[in-house]
Amino acid sequence: MAEAISPGKRTFISLEELKQHNKRGDAWISIDGKIYDVSDWLNHHPGGELPLLNLAGQDVTDAFLALHPVSARRNLPALFTGVYLRDYAVSDVSRDYRSLASELTKMGLFDKKEHGALISLCVMAVLFCASVSGVLLSDSAWVHVGCAALMGFQWIQSGWIGHDSGHYQIMVNRRFNRFVQILSGNCLTGISIGWWKWNHNAHHIACNSLDFDPDLQHLPFFVVSSRFFSSLTSCFYERKMNFDPVARFLVSYQHLSYYPVMCFARINLFAQSFMLLLSKRKVPNRWVELSGLLVFWIWYPLLVSCLPNWGERVLFVLVSFSVTGIQHVQFTLNHFSASVYVGPPTAHDWFEKQTHGTLDVSCSPWMDWFHGGLQFQVEHHLFPRLPRCHLRKISPLVKDLCKKHNLPYNCVSFWKANVLTLRTLRNAALQARDLSNPVPKNLVWEAVNTHG
């Protein structure tokens, strides 16, 4: 291991020397060739410590540009070590990416949010009130089913608002932005915005890394690669993802269970929210978050209890969860069938990693509200702070940039995206059935698979 470098004694270091500073207590990064010590900043970083730790010891200029507003640069001077990167270089892809980001900034697109958030909040309010009114004022079972569907669509729109507010400030100030986050996430959907930010930041940093990206870590229900058969260790959850007999059985039929599981995927999000908030991890505004979840677990069961019988109550829950399952399908379509890799994220190929790991879904402009902007997944991953109302506008620019550098710009129809996802799941399922080195015997699995 290289000897510790004192900023006071040396002006330049190499990339190899920078790589030695890649752990908690000794975390350095490079931005535009300047070296910053973020060891103490880990505990104060708004995006959490994980993104910094995952990219420590690297030049992170492109990632910093993508994930931070211009105002974030005000924090850099206090972290500057006085050391510069000797072999700092900018690739042609990064140069063009930074140029495009600069053009979008000059056009004011990062600041022009239009009225998207206000419209979404109004739609959410209408859907919520219509659902509650239908339950309380009508005796018709069909009306109640319709109200359950409206509640599901309200949850979907709440999810898009929560997603946007986590990437950029959708309201007039940070306090109001935080209020909308807690309202739309914790209070209305029962999902912690703190959990979402912790999870989603890791996803953006390590897009489609099998062991670093939590959005691909769904054992025992799903795997997208046979690499999971070797029981990878999740660097996000800090535990081994065991591919045991139960996992093999479930994965062997994952292409058949995909849609049913998606209908109830939010149960996992409920559990993940409480697991984080009740853990020893540092969570900003923990008690506010827990209070928000408590609000949800008061009003939703209370609303369901107002239905006339247990049959309708169960049906209301099933329908509302199933409709929201559409959103969980949308989330997975963008990444399940894209390229994956094993290992920590790298920052020198930021643009390349995002384009290889994402998939766009083509649709008409009038359907943008339904997809929440995430149909432009390539554009969103390259410019996550860009308001969704501009993603369609910049799509041709991103496509041209990908073509110029011979990089994939994956864009298919919603139907085709489903086909590709199911194909990926089926291929992994068939491999799980035919492993040459089987896991310890499981009689249930063997019985089901005896006849193929």
Side-chain angles (χ1 to χ4, degrees):
M1 188 173 189
E3 205 175 89
I5 300 166
S6 172
K9 296 180 180 179
R10 193 165 180 174
T11 307
F12 295 95
I13 64 171
S14 67
L15 273 170
E16 285 301 314
E17 291 170 313
L18 176 61
K19 289 179 182 178
Q20 306 302 315
H21 301 269
N22 63 350
K23 55 185 175 296
R24 186 179 281 104
D26 182 23
W28 287 13
I29 59 173
S30 165
I31 299 175
D32 293 322
K34 291 184 176 182
I35 307 298
Y36 299 93
D37 186 348
V38 295
S39 304
D40 294 333
W41 181 243
L42 292 177
N43 295 323
H44 308 285
H45 184 228
E49 65 173 22
L50 202 57
L52 290 175
L53 286 174
N54 283 350
L55 295 181
Q58 304 182 55
D59 179 82
V60 301
T61 305
D62 288 342
F64 180 84
L65 175 69
L67 297 166
H68 296 82
V70 176
S71 59
R73 288 187 174 270
R74 293 198 296 261
N75 297 317
L76 294 181
L79 307 175
F80 183 44
T81 62
V83 180
Y84 294 82
L85 197 59
R86 180 189 300 117
D87 42 0
Y88 175 66
V90 183
S91 68
D92 291 339
V93 178
S94 289
R95 186 176 292 106
D96 285 346
Y97 170 60
R98 296 174 196 182
S99 177
L100 178 56
S102 178
E103 287 300 315
L104 300 181
T105 300
K106 290 177 182 177
M107 294 166 63
L109 295 188
F110 291 101
D111 300 316
K112 294 177 182 176
K113 304 176 179 67
E114 297 183 357
H115 302 293
L118 180 61
I119 293 173
S120 294
L121 289 171
C122 290
V123 170
M124 286 164 52
V126 170
L127 291 173
F128 182 81
C129 292
S131 179
V132 172
S133 299
V135 169
L136 299 179
L137 302 178
S138 174
D139 295 326
S140 169
W142 288 109
V143 170
H144 295 160
V145 170
C147 291
L150 291 179
M151 185 60 70
F153 281 115
Q154 186 272 132
W155 283 340
I156 290 177
Q157 293 305 310
S158 294
W160 298 142
I161 279 287
H163 173 268
D164 292 348
S165 66
H167 277 298
Y168 55 89
Q169 190 171 300
I170 64 173
M171 308 308 292
V172 294
N173 56 55
R174 288 186 179 181
R175 182 172 295 182
F176 199 16
N177 197 69
R178 181 65 182 169
F179 171 76
V180 170
Q181 287 179 330
I182 297 296
L183 176 64
S184 62
N186 300 54
C187 297
L188 289 180
T189 67
I191 299 171
S192 162
I193 190 66
W195 169 83
W196 177 87
K197 291 174 71 174
W198 175 55
N199 180 282
H200 202 62
N201 285 337
H203 163 65
H204 270 268
I205 289 293
C207 178
N208 274 32
S209 167
L210 297 180
D211 48 343
F212 279 80
D213 184 355
D215 280 9
L216 293 185
Q217 298 172 1
H218 301 296
L219 270 175
F221 295 102
F222 302 119
V223 302
V224 297
S225 168
S226 59
R227 296 288 192 92
F228 281 107
F229 300 163
S230 60
S231 297
L232 290 173
T233 296
S234 169
C235 295
F236 178 78
Y237 294 111
E238 299 178 337
R239 59 175 172 79
K240 192 174 183 179
M241 297 178 286
N242 292 313
F243 188 70
D244 55 23
V246 173
R248 170 175 280 192
F249 170 69
L250 293 174
V251 167
S252 294
Y253 299 94
Q254 62 179 1
H255 55 301
L256 302 177
S257 64
Y258 173 64
Y259 292 112
V261 170
M262 288 297 105
C263 288
F264 301 97
R266 68 186 301 100
I267 295 175
N268 176 55
L269 304 190
F270 293 153
Q272 293 290 340
S273 295
F274 278 110
M275 287 169 64
L276 175 64
L277 295 179
L278 297 177
S279 72
K280 295 180 180 180
R281 291 183 180 275
K282 181 180 179 181
V283 181
N285 306 300
R286 184 189 303 269
W287 290 109
V288 174
E289 294 249 5
L290 284 169
S291 298
L293 295 187
L294 181 61
V295 169
F296 172 82
W297 287 108
I298 289 175
W299 76 258
Y300 183 67
L302 187 61
L303 178 66
V304 173
S305 71
C306 292
L307 292 164
N309 55 67
W310 277 105
E312 288 197 29
R313 291 166 191 161
V314 171
L315 187 60
F316 187 92
V317 173
L318 290 177
V319 172
S320 59
F321 278 36
S322 297
V323 169
T324 318
I326 297 171
Q327 187 174 60
H328 299 294
V329 170
Q330 289 170 307
F331 284 144
T332 55
L333 292 182
N334 296 132
H335 297 288
F336 270 22
S337 61
S339 298
V340 298
Y341 65 98
V342 175
T346 51
H348 68 274
D349 55 353
W350 175 262
F351 190 99
E352 295 93 324
K353 277 289 197 299
Q354 307 307 315
T355 56
H356 278 96
T358 50
L359 173 75
D360 273 14
V361 175
S362 62
C363 69
S364 300
W366 70 271
M367 282 293 288
D368 286 355
W369 69 274
F370 178 72
H371 291 281
L374 295 192
Q375 73 275 30
F376 296 107
Q377 191 72 191
V378 179
E379 291 78 6
H380 171 64
H381 266 259
L382 291 173
F383 303 102
R385 294 186 302 102
L386 192 70
R388 67 168 109 151
C389 56
H390 302 309
L391 292 174
R392 183 176 290 276
K393 185 183 303 181
I394 73 163
S395 179
L397 303 177
V398 172
K399 187 175 183 178
D400 288 344
L401 193 53
C402 290
K403 184 177 181 181
K404 177 181 178 180
H405 294 284
N406 197 30
L407 292 170
Y409 181 83
N410 301 311
C411 183
V412 298
S413 67
F414 184 74
W415 171 261
K416 181 65 174 179
N418 277 268
V419 170
L420 292 175
T421 297
L422 289 175
R423 184 181 301 166
T424 298
L425 294 173
R426 183 176 183 275
N427 288 340
L430 295 179
Q431 292 178 62
R433 299 181 191 185
D434 297 329
L435 282 178
S436 59
N437 296 313
V439 295
K441 290 185 177 181
N442 177 275
L443 296 179
V444 174
W445 186 87
E446 290 191 347
V448 173
N449 285 277
T450 299
H451 302 290

